[in-house]
């Protein structure tokens, strides 16, 4: 839970992004190399290490899926590879659709919109599981969420390529 | 990391891509995958009257090694009995394709797909 401590945020899935950002800027300022111009080498190195740790922590905490993975890891929940067969069928359908419509911008945009909505909805469900401390179920959901998130990026790339 | 020639060959000229009628009582369908890695693999086998696998088809989305593993497996399966098919090990697939250690999981996926397809077929009998 180190990162939550650094940012003085209560460890949980739902966090206030504004608070996180505020604390991040505050800490970044504190460990900025400019403040250590006349400091000893030891202090300079320390400030650098702190600064890079703050960056790492911010990248993880600000992202819903990375934050979820981090929370699960901190709670020693092993990431499993269990996959729901129904989801695999969906996954195949999405990929087929993308392949068939690789050059149809409007169709890809439609699918992108759908995936964005599904992701939002699934992240809400994930938040409920974390809230109920049902970490095993939350972990089971992660595989699907990571796929959806990567697939969303893939669609976005495809859209840019067409344009 | 470089792909072996065999992987590249299967990747560029995949064998037996397509699908069989999943409602045919002699067709078994196996669907396996690792969504977080972006891999999804569908393997279908068709059992002939003589008890030998007469056709095998696949459709895979994923990395080159995952595609090559499933393509190779469709070639290996044809003409085999179900028992022989079931005994195909991922190590044989990995060896044939000279998969590097980080890609062994692709051959595991292909072995799982064979087992899933056989189970589906048996559940129809």
């Amino acid at each position: 839970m180190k990162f939550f401590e650094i940012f003085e945020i209560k460890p949980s899935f739902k966090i206030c992004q504004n608070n996180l950002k505020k604390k991040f800027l505050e800490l970044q300022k504190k460990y900025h190399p400019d403040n250590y111009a006349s400091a000893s080498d030891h202090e300079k190195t320390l400030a650098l290490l702190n600064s890079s740790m703050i960056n790492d922590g911010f990248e993880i905490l600000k992202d819903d899926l990375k934050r979820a993975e981090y929370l699960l890891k901190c709670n020693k929940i092993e990431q499993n590879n269990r996959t729901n067969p129904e989801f695999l069928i969906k996954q195949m359908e999405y990929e087929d659709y993308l392949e068939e419509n690789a050059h149809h911008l409007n169709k890809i945009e439609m699918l992108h919109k759908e995936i964005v909505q599904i992701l939002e909805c699934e992240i809400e469900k994930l938040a409920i599981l974390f809230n109920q401390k049902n970490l095993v179920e939350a972990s089971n959901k992660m595989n699907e969420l990571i796929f959806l998130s990567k697939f969303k990026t893939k669609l976005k790339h495809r859209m840019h390529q067409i344009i | 990391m470089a792909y072996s020639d065999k992987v590249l060959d299967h990747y560029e000229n995949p064998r037996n891509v397509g699908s069989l009628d999943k409602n045919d009582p002699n067709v078994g369908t196996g669907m396996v995958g690792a969504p977080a890695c972006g891999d999804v693999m569908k393997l279908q086998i068709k059992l002939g009257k003589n008890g030998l696998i007469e056709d095998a088809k696949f459709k895979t989305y994923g990395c080159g090694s995952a595609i090559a593993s499933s393509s190779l497996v469709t070639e290996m399966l044809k003409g085999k009995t179900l028992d022989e098919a079931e005994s195909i090990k991922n190590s044989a697939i990995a060896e044939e394709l000279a998969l590097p250690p980080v890609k062994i999981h692709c051959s595991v996926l292909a072995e799982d797909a064979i087992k899933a397809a056989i189970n589906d077929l048996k559940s129809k009998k």
Side-chain angles (χ1 to χ4, degrees):
Chain A
M1 297 297 177
K2 185 179 74 181
F3 289 144
F4 286 101
E5 282 166 28
I6 293 172
F7 289 90
E8 294 173 26
I9 291 172
K10 196 173 142 257
S12 81
F13 178 68
K14 282 249 169 181
I15 62 165
C16 171
Q17 291 286 346
N18 283 339
N19 275 351
L20 176 69
K21 187 94 187 268
K22 223 173 83 188
K23 195 76 200 167
F24 172 64
L25 294 174
E26 198 182 303
L27 289 167
Q28 235 189 4
K29 217 184 225 168
K30 183 174 167 187
Y31 293 106
H32 196 277
D34 287 355
N35 298 335
Y36 292 83
S38 57
S40 69
D41 282 353
H42 174 73
E43 281 172 324
K44 273 183 189 154
T45 313
L46 213 58
L48 201 67
L49 287 174
N50 278 324
S51 162
S52 90
M53 189 161 70
I54 290 156
N55 285 328
D56 291 347
F58 183 62
E59 288 304 314
I60 287 174
L61 294 188
K62 75 171 182 193
D63 182 281
D64 287 335
L65 295 188
K66 287 182 187 159
R67 187 171 62 256
E69 281 184 302
Y70 180 64
L71 272 168
L72 292 168
K73 208 177 103 193
C74 290
N75 281 288
K76 307 217 171 356
I77 306 285
E78 290 252 345
Q79 189 147 11
N80 66 47
N81 270 325
R82 231 190 53 175
T83 39
N84 177 347
E86 279 156 44
F87 186 80
L88 291 175
I89 293 171
K90 266 233 175 87
Q91 189 183 342
M92 186 69 92
E93 282 172 1
Y94 288 143
E95 298 277 11
D96 281 341
Y97 185 94
L98 173 59
E99 197 176 71
E100 282 160 25
N101 298 293
H103 303 287
H104 296 94
L105 184 60
N106 59 337
K107 291 203 168 168
I108 295 178
E109 276 172 347
M110 260 164 57
L111 182 59
H112 182 263
K113 223 177 249 172
E114 186 185 322
I115 299 286
V116 168
Q117 278 171 2
I118 295 173
L119 254 175
E120 271 174 24
C121 174
E122 290 299 312
I123 284 173
E124 276 308 308
K125 287 188 203 160
L126 186 68
I128 293 169
L129 291 172
F130 271 110
N131 204 17
Q132 295 168 337
K133 308 235 179 306
N134 193 345
L135 299 184
V136 175
E137 268 306 305
S139 168
N140 288 343
K141 235 180 177 13
M142 287 309 290
N143 283 324
E144 298 177 11
L145 281 165
I146 293 169
F147 167 76
L148 289 169
S149 166
K150 283 186 181 168
F151 191 65
K152 186 181 88 174
T153 313
K154 196 165 156 184
L155 291 173
K156 196 103 215 187
H157 274 302
R158 190 63 219 154
M159 277 151 63
H160 284 306
Q161 279 172 347
I162 298 176
I163 302 164
Chain B
M1 183 208 69
Y3 282 125
S4 71
D5 288 344
K6 276 182 182 160
V7 170
L8 215 56
D9 179 32
H10 278 279
Y11 180 71
E12 286 174 342
N13 312 294
R15 332 293 200 253
N16 310 306
V17 174
S19 45
L20 301 167
D21 177 11
K22 67 176 186 333
N23 298 316
D24 183 330
N26 292 314
V27 168
T29 303
M31 190 82 126
V32 297
C37 310
D39 293 336
V40 61
M41 194 180 276
K42 182 173 81 175
L43 179 71
Q44 294 184 299
I45 51 173
K46 184 172 187 175
L47 201 62
K49 287 194 177 70
N50 54 5
L52 302 178
I53 295 171
E54 65 173 28
D55 203 2
K57 297 266 185 220
F58 86 96
K59 183 94 198 244
T60 294
Y61 291 101
C63 67
S65 300
I67 292 168
S69 294
S70 31
S71 171
L72 172 71
V73 153
T74 57
E75 282 191 324
M76 292 167 89
L77 286 170
K78 285 188 196 177
K80 283 201 164 55
T81 65
L82 289 186
D83 282 345
E84 286 166 351
E86 210 158 16
S87 69
I88 295 174
K89 289 270 166 291
N90 84 285
S91 50
I93 303 164
E95 197 178 321
E96 174 68 24
L97 293 172
L99 294 182
V102 291
K103 291 293 178 185
I104 296 298
H105 67 273
C106 297
S107 62
V108 174
L109 216 53
E111 184 191 322
D112 290 346
I114 300 174
K115 298 212 157 66
I118 293 173
N119 282 340
D120 181 53
L121 187 63
K122 283 182 176 168
S123 74
K124 287 179 172 176
K125 299 287 166 191

